[in-house]
Amino acid sequence: MTLRSALWLPIFDELADPAIIARLAAEAEEAGWHGLFVWDHVRWNEPVRAVADPWITLAAVASATENLAIGPMVTPLARRRPVKLARETATLDQLSRGRLILGAGLGSDRFGGEFSKTGDEVDDRKRGEMLDESLEILTAAWSGEPVRHHGVHYTVDDVTFLPRPARPIPVWLAGFPGKAKPMRRAARYDGFFPVNLPHADEFAEAVEKITALREGDGKPYDFAIGVPAGTDLAPYERAGATWWMAEFPWDDLSVDAVRGVLREGPA
């Protein structure tokens, strides 16, 4: 499979303006990029001060482009009400005419205290339970059939979510390679995005493990890797990467830096 390329943008400070991100998305599409994905946070460590909402930003991107794949990469589902997210994702997929990819994960309190400072769940195990329940609810909601879910964390009592998405929304799970439960979770969905990955060898091991877990499943599956522009992508592509996310440093962001990368063109 040909390696596809996307910009992966922290929407902080100079990039915390949806109109700017929409213009960058249009330029990226013109330059031949395949996707644009944004971080999903409510706050971040200093020196970051301004943080944009990912869903409003993605709606602007959807309206400014025709072909780019878009999505949050990644959204911590435990911080979002799944019934509201079901509406948001279906509406955004309709607006983009079937271009949304939902990146999902546990999230972390480490980079800004965005769970502890807002009263959200800080326990990883409980957030894992909430992630699994949310994914079940979203999958059911997107079907257009009545949703009946009575779980530990969420209840949806005979609610139908219409309109449906333009097509089944792919779900990519983020996680640390080597941890069994995140790997098993990722294998049940449509893609895996390993985080804090130090080397292509670890990426290859993750691909091998998830491929083994999915043995007999003939559906398409994506493996994404986030590394800066200029990285040798050949080892990742040989290992099975299907997407490259061009990574940018959150503490040194500028529109000019993004434009410099996008004008060089995709991999």
Side-chain angles (χ1 to χ4, degrees), residues 45-181:
N45 286 337
E46 293 183 352
V48 169
R49 296 179 61 82
V51 180
D53 178 80
W55 300 97
I56 302 300
T57 301
L58 289 168
V61 169
S63 298
T65 57
E66 296 289 336
N67 300 305
L68 280 184
I70 63 172
M73 200 59 64
V74 296
T75 192
L77 294 194
R79 205 182 61 218
R80 299 194 169 277
R81 295 293 297 175
V83 294
K84 186 172 187 298
L85 189 61
R87 293 293 191 202
E88 291 169 337
T89 49
T91 300
L92 184 56
D93 197 58
Q94 288 274 353
L95 177 64
S96 66
R97 295 176 301 281
R99 292 184 281 134
L100 176 63
I101 295 171
L102 178 64
L106 285 183
S108 173
D109 203 47
R110 194 171 60 170
F111 299 106
E114 58 184 341
F115 295 98
S116 57
K117 288 180 178 291
T118 57
D120 283 319
E121 182 58 64
V122 297
D123 182 80
D124 286 350
R125 182 186 60 81
K126 289 182 180 177
R127 287 208 314 282
E129 293 174 356
M130 295 166 79
L131 172 58
D132 286 330
E133 281 195 43
S134 293
L135 289 168
E136 289 179 16
I137 292 168
L138 286 171
T139 302
W142 293 336
S143 74
E145 299 297 322
V147 180
R148 299 176 181 88
H149 178 93
H150 296 268
V152 174
H153 301 282
Y154 304 110
T155 296
V156 186
D157 192 6
D158 196 19
V159 179
T160 301
F161 294 82
L162 294 173
R164 296 170 57 184
R167 93 296 191 218
I169 297 172
V171 177
W172 296 356
L173 271 298
F176 292 96
K179 291 194 174 183
K181 190 166 185 178

Side-chain angles (χ1 to χ4, degrees), residues 5-9 21 24-25 28 34-38 57-58 61 68-71 243:
S5 303
L7 299 175
W8 182 36
L9 302 179
I21 301 300
L24 290 171
H34 306 98
L36 184 142
F37 297 87
V38 299
T57 301
L58 289 168
V61 169
L68 280 184
I70 63 172
W243 279 87

